[in-house]
Amino acid sequence: MNITARQFEAAQRHRWLQAAYYHYDVVETTLENPAIAGDPNISTPGSGDAVPLDYPDALVGGTNPVYVVPETETSERAHLSRPGVTDPDQLITYAPATDELLAEIFQ
């Protein structure tokens, strides 16, 4: 992920912003995986110029949303309630960043 020096400085002051940038990087990295990026049946609507506020990270078959989310009960529950999400398999989960990891990244 590329962020500006100003964005990095802001992240150093705000824990929530560190988590947001970390999440964005995990989503980007996950969607760049050749198994996902190379599958013509998977599109990534968030990679375009006009991105809706609450878009899915990927669409399978053009209509089935998939989200990359931290593996927490709150996040999983919130995403399972989104339109079109009917199965936990529509969530790609990752271990959330610890405070120590975020502090190391944004030192």
Side-chain angles (χ1 to χ4, degrees):
M1 167 178 44
N2 295 316
I3 61 175
T4 66
R6 187 173 174 185
Q7 290 169 320
F8 187 82
E9 290 168 5
Q12 288 178 309
R13 293 188 306 274
H14 303 285
R15 165 72 174 76
W16 66 268
L17 193 52
Q18 293 173 11
Y21 285 141
Y22 179 80
H23 171 73
Y24 183 81
D25 190 56
V26 170
V27 171
E28 267 190 340
T29 301
T30 300
L31 298 178
E32 289 170 356
N33 180 302
I36 295 172
D39 188 329
N41 196 39
I42 300 174
S43 61
T44 53
S47 60
D49 290 335
V51 179
L53 180 61
D54 193 18
Y55 65 94
D57 296 318
L59 288 170
V60 178
T63 58
N64 299 309
V66 174
Y67 292 91
V68 180
V69 300
E71 192 174 42
T72 66
E73 183 179 328
T74 301
S75 185
E76 289 179 32
R77 183 176 49 248
H79 284 82
L80 285 170
S81 69
R82 291 188 176 189
V85 179
T86 58
D87 190 300
D89 287 342
Q90 289 175 263
L91 305 180
I92 300 171
T93 60
Y94 64 89
T98 63
D99 288 340
E100 294 80 16
L101 176 61
L102 292 175
E104 184 179 320
I105 292 170
F106 291 96
Q107 63 181 345

